[in-house]
């Protein structure tokens, strides 16, 4: 079975190696160091908080487009789907670059605002936490829409009609019928978006100047200081959090 | 509320929803358009000075990018050329086995093959570097890309297998088709759209993958996304924009093709 | 009759579950054998083993006296129509029909000719270039049949070919399909869970339950003389009562729970089960009646009136003319048509006849009559269904 072999070689051996460092003295010390205090913990917390917030907002933003793509029929639907799915394959750096293009010191949005108001607004905001957050959204919305759409499609239309025939008003239809049915898909999407931004390193590499997030810290430790054990420990925490999110939210879905 | 009012509320609700969706699309597309415009427009607008022999706003800029980063473009192309066939050769038969010839432990193996998708990319890249750091970089890069792309193939082909009737292969056998004929005339043609979509998917993902590419890159094996980063930090805006356009050039047609071929079962493969 | 196809102690088990339990049957050449049974009785598995698509756990399949158990499916020359039709989605109608010929390297022109011929047979020639996705359920069914017979197989297997159609269409296609199958005169095995379909299509009927054939023979024979309770209940409706045969006044008498009548010819002394079909009971004037029964309810079925009666603690179904004047609670005189009582020996008061044991509980007088093979469903409803599909 070539699959098993490849998996073992490029996924499981490296990953298990990562986990096994936990049991070495240096590894466990590094883990403690990472979790206890200082810039490592800050970077981890930054990452986790940013990812949770970005995942939540992108889920919210994706609900309507996903629903429209799944349920409505109109001209230009294919185009809409195409446009939304285009950034799906963009790597983090590219997203970061686009953020700079839009929100950098001489970005399009500040230029436009200066033209309109004559004042300097939002210039360089790409390099703030808010900019990183926006970039994360850019990164996650296409993923969330594309994950949600097929599951929305599978919700039978009769269900909505049945709820209507039983006298449910739109809001309670949404709350009582739609949400419970879509809940597994929403949870899975959240988990996906969460781990995507948690591990997204390119975006941070481009944008994080005044603060640090975990993936960036991994890179710095690895290349700048050859601090393999700290980098490993950070990765371990990242992997564990996204694994946990996946397990808890998607209920062990393969 | 009268029936007519209800209907018009529903209709306007739909209109608003559609409009909002286009807004989301705009949010996603606007930066690309601006970047593309940047590659062709005058650099003064952005307050940068262009370098190289060619003036901005001409195709010459692309030639400049090409001449500087041609090597990494080549590396990316070579990488894609290796990753696409291997991902298909490993992923498609595995998906087939999972769906049609389940064996003990196949469920577990399938779930296991999906882990890279829910792993932070950097974790896998770092652990790859830690264990297999001694391997030739190009091989290592290809390995990392395979870890990410094989699950995509498994998912796309698996979904396709689920979407058509399971009895068509037995039907072909009963009609006198031997194992090779079943594969050649039934299984492969029926799976062809999903195989093509998988290939395109693997292509776009591998072409754009950064985490592993950057960490595992060496001067001799630097893929284009890694080179992009260098461009972004070191070069002026028009050059960076031109490099971005160059990067997007093969991705866009691939995505258009995926949309054109793929119905739902195939698109689901995209949710990586 | 010449047996072309033969199953010998065919067995298939999945772990501890036995799907087909040493099934032996000879399928007469050029005739249609209908296998009928409830879902999960092993019909499809049997068909797949005959076609070579499922490997038997034991036993053998013989074609023309030759053991073909080890022969792969594609060398068996057995055509099969699948339950969901399994048409090739990437080929059009004609290419689907030509597939079997293509596998046999028949030349293109000849292939076309025979495909056209076969499509004409099922009246689908005008849709030859259609994609299969554009076909209706009935059209798919016909293409599936055409595909299975186009390469002139020795044996044709059909797995519930009408079950995925809606009731109206099913009725319509049934006649057409049956006419065609009889015309083809090919050795055919027709699997269905619908007793009416089975009885009307088959030259030969085999009733299957829990992986074995309970009884086989000409349909009318099996219906009239079921060998056990399962067969009696599965085909049509049946009144079944515990009874006793005893000699009285020099004659063999049958004591039913509510009446005593002359025992049928060939009956032997002792406890027994008695089966009477609802249509073999008739409403008669009091002086000709074998017993009296009170009307509990009646169901108007259009062509007839189904009466649910009670007599001496037993419930009895009687099919009567639809113009019978009737009042609730009326007492009717019921006559049993001569020679229509079927008896099975009953070892002792508690034991049930063969075929019923696997269903669990033995029948008590109060839960009579039983409608069909499902022991859990309430009897009156089942009877109604049985009557409707007739």
């Amino acid at each position: 079975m070539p699959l098993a072999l490849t998996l073992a070689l490029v996924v499981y051996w490296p990953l298990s190696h990562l986990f096994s460092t936990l049991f070495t003295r240096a590894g466990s010390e590094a883990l403690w160091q990472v979790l206890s205090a200082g810039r490592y913990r800050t970077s981890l917390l930054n990452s986790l908080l940013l990812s949770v917030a970005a995942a939540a907002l992108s889920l919210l933003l994706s609900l309507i487009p996903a629903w429209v793509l799944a349920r409505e029929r109109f001209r230009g639907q294919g185009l809409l789907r195409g446009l939304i799915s285009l950034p799906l394959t963009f790597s983090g750096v590219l997203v970061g670059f686009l953020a700079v293009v839009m929100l950098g010191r001489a970005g399009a949005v500040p230029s436009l605002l200066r033209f309109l108001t004559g004042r300097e607004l939002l210039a360089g905001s790409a390099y703030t936490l808010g900019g990183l957050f926006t970039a994360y959204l850019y990164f996650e919305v296409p993923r969330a829409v594309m994950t949600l759409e097929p599951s929305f499609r599978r919700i039978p239309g009769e269900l909505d009609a049945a709820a209507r025939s039983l006298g449910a008003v739109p809001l309670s239809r949404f709350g009582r019928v739609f949400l419970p049915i879509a809940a597994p898909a929403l949870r899975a999407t959240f988990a996906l978006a969460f781990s995507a931004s948690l591990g997204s390193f390119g975006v941070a590499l481009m944008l994080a100047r005044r603060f640090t997030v975990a993936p960036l810290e991994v890179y710095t430790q690895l290349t700048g200081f050859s601090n393999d054990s700290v980098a490993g420990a950070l990765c371990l925490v990242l992997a564990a959090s996204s694994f946990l999110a996946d397990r808890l939210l998607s209920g062990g879905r393969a | 509320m009268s029936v007519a009012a209800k209907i018009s509320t529903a209709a306007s609700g739909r209109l608003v929803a559609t409009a909002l969706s286009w807004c989301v699309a705009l949010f996603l597309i606007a930066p690309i358009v601006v970047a593309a415009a940047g590659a062709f427009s005058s650099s003064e607008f952005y307050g940068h000075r262009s370098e190289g022999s060619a003036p901005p706003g001409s195709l010459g800029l692309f030639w400049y990018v090409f001449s500087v980063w041609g090597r990494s473009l080549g590396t990316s192309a070579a990488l894609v050329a290796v990753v696409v066939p291997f991902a298909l050769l490993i992923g498609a038969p595995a998906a087939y086995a999972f769906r049609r010839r389940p064996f003990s432990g196949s469920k577990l193996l399938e779930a296991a093959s999906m882990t890279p998708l829910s792993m932070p990319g950097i974790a896998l890249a770092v652990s790859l570097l830690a264990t297999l750091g001694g391997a030739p970089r190009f091989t290592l890069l290809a390995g990392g890309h395979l870890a990410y792309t094989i699950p995509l193939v498994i998912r796309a082909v698996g979904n396709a297998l689920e979407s058509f009737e399971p009895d068509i292969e037995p039907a072909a056998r009963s009609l006198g088709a031997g194992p090779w004929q079943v594969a050649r005339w039934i299984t492969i043609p029926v799976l062809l759209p999903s195989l093509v979509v998988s290939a395109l998917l693997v292509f776009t993902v591998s072409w754009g993958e950064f985490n592993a590419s950057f960490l595992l890159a060496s001067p001799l094996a630097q893929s284009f996304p890694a080179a992009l980063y260098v461009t972004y930090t070191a070069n002026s805006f028009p050059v960076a924009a031109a490099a971005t356009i160059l990067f997007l050039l093969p991705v866009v047609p691939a995505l258009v093709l995926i949309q054109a071929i793929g119905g739902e079962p195939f698109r689901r493969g995209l949710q990586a | 009759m010449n047996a072309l196809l033969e199953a010998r102690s065919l067995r298939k088990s999945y772990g501890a579950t036995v799907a087909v339990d040493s099934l032996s049957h000879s399928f007469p050449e050029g005739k249609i054998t209908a296998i009928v049974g409830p879902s999960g009785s092993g019909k499809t598995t049997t068909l797949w083993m005959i076609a070579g698509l499922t490997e038997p756990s034991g036993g053998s399949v013989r074609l023309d006296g030759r053991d073909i158990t080890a022969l792969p499916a594609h060398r068996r020359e057995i055509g099969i129509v699948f339950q969901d039709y399994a048409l090739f989605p990437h080929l059009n109608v004609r290419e689907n029909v030509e597939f079997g010929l293509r596998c046999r390297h028949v030349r293109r022109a000849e292939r076309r000719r025979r495909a056209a011929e076969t499509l004409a047979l099922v009246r689908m020639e005008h849709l030859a270039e259609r994609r299969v996705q554009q076909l209706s359920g009935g059209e798919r069914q016909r293409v599936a049949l055409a595909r299975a017979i186009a390469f002139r197989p020795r044996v044709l297997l059909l797995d519930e070919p009408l079950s995925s159609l809606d009731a109206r269409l099913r009725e319509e296609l049934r006649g057409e399909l049956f006419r065609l199958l009889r015309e083809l005169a090919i050795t055919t095995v027709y699997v269905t869970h619908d007793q009416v379909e089975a009885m009307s299509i088959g030259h030969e009927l085999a009733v299957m339950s829990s992986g074995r054939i309970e009884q086989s023979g000409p349909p009318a024979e099996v219906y009239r003389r079921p060998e056990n309770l399962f067969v009696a209940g599965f085909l049509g409706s049946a009144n079944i009562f515990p009874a006793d045969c005893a000699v009285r006044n020099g004659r063999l008498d049958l004591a039913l729970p509510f009446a005593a009548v002359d025992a049928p010819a060939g009956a032997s002394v002792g406890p027994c089960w008695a089966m009477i079909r609802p249509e073999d009971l008739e409403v008669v004037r009091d002086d000709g009646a074998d017993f009296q029964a009170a009307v509990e309810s009646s169901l108007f079925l259009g062509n007839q009136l189904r009466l649910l009666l009670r007599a001496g603690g037993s419930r009895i179904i009687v099919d009567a003319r639809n113009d019978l004047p009737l009042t609730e609670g009326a007492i009717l005189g019921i006559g049993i048509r001569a020679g229509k009582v079927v008896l099975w020996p009953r070892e002792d008061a508690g034991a049930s006849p063969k075929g019923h044991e696997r269903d669990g509980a033995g029948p008590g007088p109060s839960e009579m009559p039983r409608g069909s093979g499902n022991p859990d469903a309430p009897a009156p409803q089942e009877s109604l269904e049985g009557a409707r599909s007739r």
Side-chain angles (χ1 to χ4, degrees), chain C residues 170-182:
Chain C
R170 186 159 54 221
E171 193 101 345
E172 216 176 285
L173 284 179
R174 196 166 65 195
E176 199 178 318
L177 176 64
F178 289 5
R179 178 188 53 80
L180 188 63
L181 288 180
R182 296 215 171 210

Side-chain angles (χ1 to χ4, degrees), chain C residues 318-330:
Chain C
V318 174
D319 285 344
R321 289 174 54 115
N322 59 5
D323 55 357
L324 185 79
L326 202 66
T327 48
E328 201 86 356

Side-chain angles (χ1 to χ4, degrees), chain A residues 16-80:
Chain A
S16 58
H17 178 83
L18 179 65
F19 278 83
S20 68
T21 56
L22 190 66
F23 301 107
T24 65
R25 194 179 163 74
S28 51
E29 268 172 10
L31 188 67
W32 176 244
Q33 194 185 351
V34 159
L35 289 176
S36 58
R39 57 182 290 162
Y40 307 128
R41 197 171 71 170
T42 316
S43 75
L44 273 176
L45 283 179
N46 273 347
S47 257
L48 288 174
L49 287 177
L50 258 180
S51 300
V52 167
L57 189 60
S58 61
L59 186 61
L60 213 60
L61 281 177
S62 312
L63 279 179
I64 287 176
W67 183 260
V68 165
L69 285 177
R71 283 309 172 84
E72 303 292 330
R73 288 286 160 272
F74 54 90
R75 282 170 62 90
Q77 193 172 24
L79 180 69
L80 181 64

Side-chain angles (χ1 to χ4, degrees), chain A residues 102-187:
Chain A
M102 297 305 280
L103 297 169
R105 280 186 253 292
V109 172
S111 302
L112 189 68
L113 287 175
R114 188 172 53 221
F115 179 73
L116 290 176
T117 65
R119 280 186 295 166
E120 287 286 336
L121 288 172
L122 292 178
S125 58
Y127 303 108
T128 63
L129 265 180
L132 187 60
F133 180 73
T134 315
Y136 274 178
L137 281 186
Y138 188 91
F139 201 60
E140 287 168 17
V141 166
R143 282 170 174 71
V145 173
M146 290 302 136
T147 314
L148 283 178
E149 191 202 334
S151 35
F152 281 0
R153 207 186 286 265
R154 277 193 294 272
I155 298 175
E158 293 93 359
L159 224 55
D160 195 49
R164 209 175 310 181
S165 77
L166 295 173
V169 296
L171 204 66
S172 80
R173 279 216 299 280
F174 183 79
R176 298 245 175 99
V177 180
F178 169 74
L179 269 188
I181 294 170
L186 296 179
R187 284 204 305 265

Side-chain angles (χ1 to χ4, degrees), chain C residues 351-365:
Chain C
S352 0
K354 177 194 176 242
H356 195 261
E357 281 160 12
R358 277 191 292 275
D359 287 343

